[in-house]
Amino acid sequence: MSGIAFMIVALRDSLMAWPPDSTVSVHSQLSGRIEELLKIHRHSFIIALAALHGDHEHAALMALQQRFFSKKLNILIAHNAQECIAHMSVIAKFTCQPGNLAMQTKVSKVISQLSGKVAIQVLRQIGISQLQSEILLDCFGSLAAVVAADGENLHNSSVDSMTSNSILDFFREDRIPV
């Protein structure tokens, strides 16, 4: 199984009929190619390419998302070839050995420098209440410490088990460890 793969998909070519009608469906050839991509590669990225993203393009994106909802497929949006290359470069930097260590260091540094208000806003964005966020920051001192905490420490911080599991899931699953 290979590590990472990208497939650039022109949204106009992704559907059976263009412009999309009431029965929007992904083109069968494209669907087969994406299925094969998912089988071969551990991390698969579709870069949906369209110069403009209007109603037709949104319908195509929705059809792709619905078709591959239960699969581990990442969909990125780009307006031109330059944005496609930028997406691929960023992902390559985060996943390749020398680059990901440097990025982990940078992300860790940024997280450790966040003020309390910003840290609370970050925790709120992942579904943690204001009160629970304040409890976590009082207990751990910083967002970086919350990110680094294990399950036992989170459970001992006076937050409920659902909150601690949400934090563990968010910061551990398919994310760069800090």
Side-chain angles (χ1 to χ4, degrees):
M1 194 175 242
S2 157
I4 299 173
F6 299 95
M7 180 185 290
I8 299 172
V9 174
L11 289 178
R12 284 190 165 266
D13 301 334
S14 64
L15 301 179
M16 295 294 278
W18 193 267
D21 54 13
S22 60
T23 58
V24 179
S25 61
V26 177
H27 199 284
S28 59
Q29 271 187 320
L30 176 62
S31 185
R33 288 177 49 213
I34 293 173
E35 287 287 346
E36 197 62 32
L37 183 82
L38 290 167
K39 286 179 193 173
I40 297 172
H41 304 285
R42 205 171 307 135
H43 301 286
S44 301
F45 294 87
I46 296 295
I47 301 176
L49 181 62
L52 298 173
H53 292 277
D55 292 339
H56 298 319
E57 290 78 13
H58 286 230
L61 277 172
M62 211 153 118
L64 279 169
Q65 288 174 330
Q66 288 174 348
R67 170 66 182 85
F68 297 100
F69 182 73
S70 63
K71 308 285 183 181
K72 198 168 184 169
L73 177 67
N74 301 292
I75 300 174
L76 304 170
I77 298 170
H79 292 94
N80 53 42
Q82 187 176 7
E83 286 183 10
C84 291
I85 292 168
H87 286 321
M88 290 187 272
S89 296
V90 168
I91 291 168
K93 285 178 187 175
F94 267 99
T95 55
C96 295
Q97 208 40 273
N100 77 354
L101 295 176
M103 291 307 253
Q104 286 176 12
T105 304
K106 287 179 185 178
V107 169
S108 181
K109 188 175 180 180
V110 167
I111 287 176
S112 67
Q113 293 175 351
L114 291 176
S115 70
K117 287 182 180 179
V118 174
I120 288 172
Q121 288 176 349
V122 169
L123 291 170
R124 297 285 315 271
Q125 289 299 313
I126 62 171
I128 313 279
S129 71
Q130 176 83 22
L131 178 63
Q132 298 269 358
S133 300
E134 290 172 2
I135 290 170
L136 285 165
L137 290 177
D138 286 344
C139 181
F140 291 101
S142 70
L143 183 59
V146 173
V147 171
D150 61 6
E152 185 178 331
N153 289 334
L154 287 170
H155 290 299
N156 293 336
S157 69
S158 301
V159 295
D160 59 60
S161 62
M162 200 164 109
T163 300
S164 61
N165 288 337
S166 295
I167 293 166
L168 288 172
D169 290 344
F170 183 82
F171 286 114
R172 301 296 183 268
E173 186 179 313
D174 289 337
R175 289 178 173 72
I176 295 174
V178 290

